[in-house]
Amino acid sequence: MNYLKIDGEHFYNMVVNASNRLEEQKEFVNSLNVFPVPDGDTGTNMSMTFKTAVCEIENINTKSIDEVSKKLARGALMGARGNSGVILSQIFRGISKGMENKKEVNSREFAISLKEGANFAYKAVMRPTEGTILTIIKAAGESAINNPNSDIVKLLEEVCNHCEAVLNKTPDMLPALKKAKVVDAGGMGLLILLKGMLEALQGNVITEIKKDIAKPNISENKQIIQSDIKFGYCTEFFILANNADIESFKKELEQYGDSMVVVAFEDIVKVHIHTNDPGLILSKALKLGELSKIKIDNMREQHRNLLNIEDETKQQEEEVVENVRKKYAFVSVSRGKGLDDIFKDLGVDCVIEGGQTMNPSTQDILKSIEKLNADNIFILPNNKNIIMSASQASELADKNVVVIPSKTIPQGITALTVFDFNSDLDENIKNMNEAIGMVSTGAVTYAVKDTETDGKVIKQGDILGLIEGKIQEIGKDVFNVCSDMIEKMVNEHSELITLYYGEDCKSEDVEKFVKELEEKYSDLDIQYYEGKQPLYYFIVSVE
């Protein structure tokens, strides 16, 4: 069937069909991710982003392509997950710009809208990389603009054919793709969408959104665990100290409580501990230096109150808290009960569940921002694939929001430890950004597929040690790989090694491993915490 023009109804069926096709093939797109680690989520992020977009237009009652495309673009913007999702949202934001003020578009106007999609996508990325989804949308735009066909079906057929040919060349543009023997995952996701749009026109398809797919796999742990509280007072404060013996101080405190976090940065020491004698803890801390920002909470009282409050009353109390304006507030992304607790103990107001394989959307982050009543709100993405969504949320918020570009959990934790409520905004931003640059991060996980990278042959199930996201160690034993990885991370300037162990590690095995590390690195401070994170046996930082 020929289409000299398409209106909002046609466009609706095109994008809904495209969304359904991407959902069906998202695991194939995920499999194209270069790294064999269990965070190949490009297909999932793109599918969930676009699913949110099409749900936004589900009940729209108009044939205006301007209105449909504009609402679709807003849905994609709010639902954007991960870098691929953010770029995809910008592509359809540009397409909407090309269809602005039009009830229907002809082939030339449709071509211009694809070109606008490419323009918007490239503007969204600070350092565009060719061989990615950007290359494919640029190919789509250029092919469409140079195509003389007045029939949109024929135009889109040639656009898809050209994009597929360019996609097959992406391994020649990016060495990492060539080594992994795959094409770019984001580019493939976009091609699937374009083909889905074409399919709807070719078959004059009337489609509907499939409801049983692409549901976010983000669980909210609302259960309150009732247990005896051994140490009743949550005590936290800063010590202004020079050349303090932090290791001896930690050992001295251990007998007086649990859930202890003691982190030093230059002349500031952050202390958090659950204890039954806050006064004793403070008196010991005074020997090291001046105390600042002391905060003590009675957890038994809080727990009793929590158990006796009905949901409606809790909501009312939360609203009261939100009405008490603060100078600073924090939003952090984390995955793992132990890691969540650490962030909360360090003063984070909202912890969003997310990370590898589970990137929160722009809307998820925006909702957390909207909950907070503060002059300045900091966002800690703690994952390089969430930074763009966080930045997009900050632009949409009507509050002063600062994104600290933390790429790892340890970077986020370190950024919080150097934050000073008594300093001004610019000084805190400077200190936090400097602090994350001083953290070296490692992670131990497993391979989800056979592959080869940098001359290393990797088999599915191998244990992998990553330093700053790059595979440095391959083995069969978690602890051996972690030990070898740490050895590469430590240098003559290193002072502190911190390990966060995951849900698949046994505490007794970790304790034995830490003792071995203490013997090997007797001149370094070594800390370890139960992060309970999935997928990663260890997250390690060296400072």
Side-chain angles (χ1 to χ4, degrees), residues 96-351:
S96 173
K97 181 69 176 175
M99 296 175 172
E100 197 170 36
N101 299 322
K102 297 178 177 67
K103 290 187 177 180
E104 57 184 13
V105 296
N106 58 28
S107 64
R108 184 63 184 172
E109 291 165 332
F110 182 73
I112 290 171
S113 72
L114 288 177
K115 189 69 169 64
E116 281 296 311
N119 293 338
F120 270 68
Y122 271 83
K123 287 177 185 176
V125 181
M126 187 174 295
R127 298 181 186 87
T129 301
E130 296 303 332
T132 64
I133 185 175
L134 294 174
T135 301
I136 305 308
I137 186 57
K138 181 171 69 173
E142 291 175 350
S143 174
I145 286 290
N146 295 323
N147 195 304
N149 274 305
S150 58
D151 180 5
I152 296 175
V153 172
K154 290 181 179 178
L155 180 145
L156 197 48
E157 281 177 348
E158 294 187 19
V159 165
C160 289
N161 289 337
H162 180 64
C163 286
E164 188 163 11
V166 173
L167 179 65
N168 289 332
K169 294 177 182 177
T170 55
D172 296 325
M173 302 178 199
L174 283 175
L177 296 175
K178 195 162 193 172
K179 287 179 181 177
K181 299 176 182 177
V182 294
V183 297
D184 180 67
M188 177 59 78
L190 180 59
L191 179 61
I192 290 169
L193 288 175
L194 291 172
K195 285 186 172 182
M197 293 169 70
L198 171 61
E199 181 185 58
L201 280 184
Q202 285 175 325
N204 196 25
V205 172
I206 306 298
T207 189
E208 61 181 29
I209 302 167
K210 294 182 181 179
K211 294 295 186 180
D212 57 339
I213 53 179
K215 295 178 181 177
N217 187 27
I218 297 180
S219 61
E220 295 183 13
N221 183 10
K222 297 181 178 179
Q223 181 181 5
I224 299 171
I225 300 174
Q226 300 187 39
S227 60
D228 294 333
I229 299 175
K230 185 177 180 181
F231 297 101
Y233 295 93
C234 176
T235 306
E236 52 187 327
F237 53 89
F238 285 89
I239 310 173
L240 307 180
N242 285 313
N243 302 318
D245 187 348
I246 303 303
E247 191 61 31
S248 297
F249 180 60
K250 287 192 295 181
K251 289 179 179 177
E252 187 177 9
L253 294 192
E254 281 177 348
Q255 60 184 307
Y256 300 112
D258 64 9
S259 299
M260 184 174 70
V261 177
V262 180
V263 186
F265 181 80
E266 294 182 348
D267 59 346
I268 300 174
V269 181
K270 168 76 174 182
V271 180
H272 170 276
I273 186 171
H274 294 173
T275 181
N276 284 329
D277 195 341
L280 177 63
I281 301 298
L282 295 175
S283 65
K284 291 184 178 296
L286 274 169
K287 296 176 184 178
L288 299 183
E290 184 180 342
L291 305 187
S292 173
K293 290 178 281 186
I294 301 170
K295 180 173 174 286
I296 301 172
D297 292 320
N298 185 334
M299 295 188 297
R300 293 190 181 98
E301 182 180 55
Q302 290 176 337
H303 192 63
R304 286 193 300 268
N305 291 340
L306 190 60
L307 294 178
N308 291 329
I309 296 173
E310 295 295 329
D311 287 345
E312 184 178 344
T313 308
K314 283 196 290 186
Q315 183 177 352
Q316 292 173 350
E317 288 189 352
E318 286 171 1
E319 290 172 355
V320 171
V321 172
E322 289 164 13
N323 287 329
V324 179
R325 193 165 185 83
K326 303 193 295 183
K327 184 177 180 181
Y328 298 113
F330 300 89
V331 176
S332 180
V333 181
S334 171
R335 191 177 180 197
K337 178 65 168 57
L339 294 176
D340 293 352
D341 290 343
I342 289 173
F343 279 110
K344 290 173 185 176
D345 289 341
L346 290 173
V348 171
D349 302 87
C350 287
V351 176

Side-chain angles (χ1 to χ4, degrees), residues 379-413:
I379 303 178
L380 296 163
N382 303 329
N383 185 298
K384 66 179 182 180
N385 206 31
I386 300 174
I387 293 174
M388 287 184 73
S389 297
S391 298
Q392 195 157 268
S394 70
E395 293 172 6
L396 294 170
D398 58 356
K399 300 176 181 180
N400 187 41
V401 179
V402 178
V403 178
I404 300 297
S406 53
K407 296 179 180 178
T408 66
I409 290 291
Q411 284 187 353
I413 291 172

